[in-house]
Every structure is written in C-alpha cells, then in structure tokens.
DNA sequence: ACTATATAGTTCTACGTCGAACTTAATCAA
DNA sequence: TTGATTAAGTTCGACGTAGAACTATATAGT
C-alpha cells in the first residue's frame, strides 16, 4: 500500500539545506564581526579562477542576484580586500581585483577553518568525495538548467 | 609549486551551499506568496514523524534557532495549516498539530514539486542516493557535533 | 518549602538577501 | 545618426533569520 512518499530528491535537498546552514554558521564563527560567508566565497573564487572579473560574472558563478553581489562587494571593498576599477572595455562595467590584504585574509581564513574542520576531514574518504562531488555538480547543473 | 588549495570539504560545502540556494528558489517558485521553504519543511516534518511535537523539538530537528521557528510557526498558524495547543505536561510549552488544510497543502506542494522535478528525478540513480544520502547525513552529524 | 538555576517560548533589533525600479552605457535597427 | 532595446550596476523596500534580552514555568539544591 505504497503511500509512496516524496522521491529521494526531497531527502537529499532537505539534508543539503541543513548542512548549508550549519557550515555557514561554522564558517562565520571563525570570521571577524560582520564578515559573512559570501565575502569569503567571493575572495576564494577570485583566488582560484583569477581576478579582474566583472561583478556580473561573479554573480552568475554563484547563482546569486547581482544586487546581492553589489552588497557583498561593497563590504569587501570597505575592508580593503578588493579594488574596483573601471572596465576599459565597457564603461558600464567594473572589474574586481584582489588586494594583498584580501589574499591574506582568504589564506588565513582557510587556515583557521581547516584547523576547525580537522576532526571532520579524516572522516571523509576520497572514495566518497569522488562520488559525492560529481553528483552534487550534476545536481546543481540540473537545478540550474531547470529554471527556464 | 603547490599552492595546495583548500581541502575537498570546502568544495563540497561550496557546492552544497549553491544547491541549497537553487533548490530553495525552485521550491518557493511553486508556492503561494509569502510561503517559504521552512514552512513546507516543517509541515513535511510533522507528516513524516508525526505531529504533537513541541516547537523546540522541531527547531532542534532543523538545527534552527527557536526564535526563527516561532516566526515560521506563526506563519503556518496564520494560514490555518497548524494548530498550537498547550502542552498538558508542561505549561511553558506548546504542542504543534497539523490541520487537514496543512496536510492538503503539503501534499499538493509535493505533487507540484515532483512534477517540477520530473526532469531531474530520472537523472538520479538509486546507487548514487545510497552513497550520497548517508554521506550527507554523516557530514551533517559531524558538523553538528563540531559546534561545541 | 525556598532559593537558584535552567528551560520553553516570545519580542526586539540588526542585518543579509532579493525582487523591482532606476541610471547609464552598449547594441541593434532603420 | 537617431531611436529603441538590452545589459551592468546601484538603490529602495520588504522580509526571512538569528543573537540578546525578557517572561513564565520547571527543576535542582539545601
């Protein structure tokens, strides 16, 4: 008598939502007052993929509305972690560059978090990551293309 | 030149954060004005695990501060989807019960979402879920116990 | 029984987030 | 070139979220 509950994707998304909450809290506990996960995420993004990007490119990478990113960038700029320069190729646009202080803060945060996650890292086996991470990327891509 | 990046858990959490955002947006697009993911999550929780629980129990299940849950419950109550009754065993406390309208809304939402996720569900293989879901539960448990 | 402490839930306040409207510049059409 | 449309970024307003303080009740210690 299959009161066939919701498909497993609901369980997955439910769990993902809670983990997202918890990891954000964990991250923000290690970070100066008013510095929030998106701040770190943007810095990390710029380090890994290179700076000199436009705000819109960054916003799209995080599936985040551009007005939200404006707010995040203004916080980063106020702390001297990024610089906004005009985009020579498009006067409407800007380019975002990391400062040395920005790189330093990003590195320090990773250090601090890695230390904080020391107890967790060993519990994660490479084999699991090999399955889970691609799966998550697939799921993200599916959700992304689903919104017309 | 090993600028050895952050450990894989950072990638995992990053991906999880974005998926959480996307799935929330997808869910709220299918839902009446002002009805937000936690509303549905709480209803779903009560259906699956049974109602007659206290707000605090629910808040803990979602790793959510109790004051946030107060807000969510008041929204559910205002829409007639739950009832709050006094807890006979503890006069400080209350018990949360589903109404018929609440169950109906939950079922309808699942229907609508399942339809919406039709394109995604087939892409998810049972074998993947068997690995990913337990992994996520483990990760959640680790993150949870990590906050002292 | 009495006091101190802990717990359930709410209120107050601050803030991150996001849709909508706006400004300015680029692109496209004729 | 001119006018219309699209794109980049900001501003404004509404709202969900969460820390801190508060009220009321329960529990523990003596």
């Amino acid at each position: 008598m299959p009161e066939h509950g919701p498909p497993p994707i609901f369980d997955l998304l439910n769990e993902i939502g809670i983990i997202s909450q918890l990891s954000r809290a964990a991250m923000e506990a290690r970070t100066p007052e008013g510095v929030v996960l998106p701040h770190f995420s943007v810095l990390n993004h710029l380090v890994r993929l290179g700076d000199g990007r436009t705000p819109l490119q960054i916003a799209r990478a995080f599936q985040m509305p551009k007005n939200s990113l404006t707010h995040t960038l203004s916080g980063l700029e106020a702390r001297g972690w990024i610089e906004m320069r005009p985009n020579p190729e498009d006067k409407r646009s800007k380019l975002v560059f990391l400062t040395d202080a920005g790189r330093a803060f990003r590195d320090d945060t990773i250090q601090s978090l890695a230390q904080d996650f020391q107890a967790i890292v060993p519990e994660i086996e490479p084999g699991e990551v090999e399955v889970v991470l691609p799966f998550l990327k697939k799921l993200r891509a599916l959700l992304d293309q689903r919104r017309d």
Side-chain angles (χ1 to χ4, degrees), chain A:
Chain A
M1 214 76 307
E3 187 278 318
H4 66 298
I9 180 150
F10 283 87
D11 291 317
L12 286 170
L13 294 178
N14 184 37
E15 210 61 41
I16 283 173
I18 294 177
I19 292 173
S20 167
Q21 238 181 299
L22 287 172
S23 69
R24 162 175 290 233
M27 190 274 157
E28 293 179 0
R30 287 292 173 188
T31 231
E33 187 61 26
V35 178
V36 100
L37 186 134
H39 291 133
F40 172 72
S41 300
V42 168
L43 292 181
N44 210 35
H45 180 79
L46 293 175
V47 168
R48 298 188 349 173
L49 280 73
D51 56 358
R53 295 169 181 278
T54 70
L56 197 61
Q57 287 177 318
I58 300 169
R60 279 203 266 256
F62 288 101
Q63 319 284 37
M64 173 192 299
K66 56 184 180 175
N67 53 356
S68 300
L69 187 69
T70 296
H71 190 243
T72 301
L73 291 179
S74 74
L76 290 172
E77 195 176 20
R79 289 167 216 276
W81 291 334
I82 60 168
E83 271 183 23
M84 307 275 279
R85 304 182 200 153
N87 183 350
E89 295 179 358
D90 186 337
K91 288 183 192 166
R92 296 170 301 182
S93 178
K94 299 181 176 177
L95 297 181
V96 183
F97 289 89
L98 287 161
T99 64
D100 290 342
R103 291 178 200 275
F105 170 75
R106 179 259 186 183
D107 291 342
D108 292 349
T109 303
I110 285 184
Q111 293 276 356
S112 174
L113 283 174
Q115 211 170 0
D116 202 16
F117 287 163
Q118 255 176 355
I120 295 180
V121 172
E123 303 289 334
I124 299 177
E125 294 164 27
E128 290 176 314
V129 176
E130 278 172 28
V131 177
V132 173
L133 191 52
F135 174 83
L136 292 177
K137 286 186 189 292
K138 181 174 76 175
L139 183 54
R140 169 187 175 175
L142 287 167
L143 280 169
D144 187 31
Q145 76 187 39
R146 192 210 50 81
R147 40 161 217 187
D148 318 309

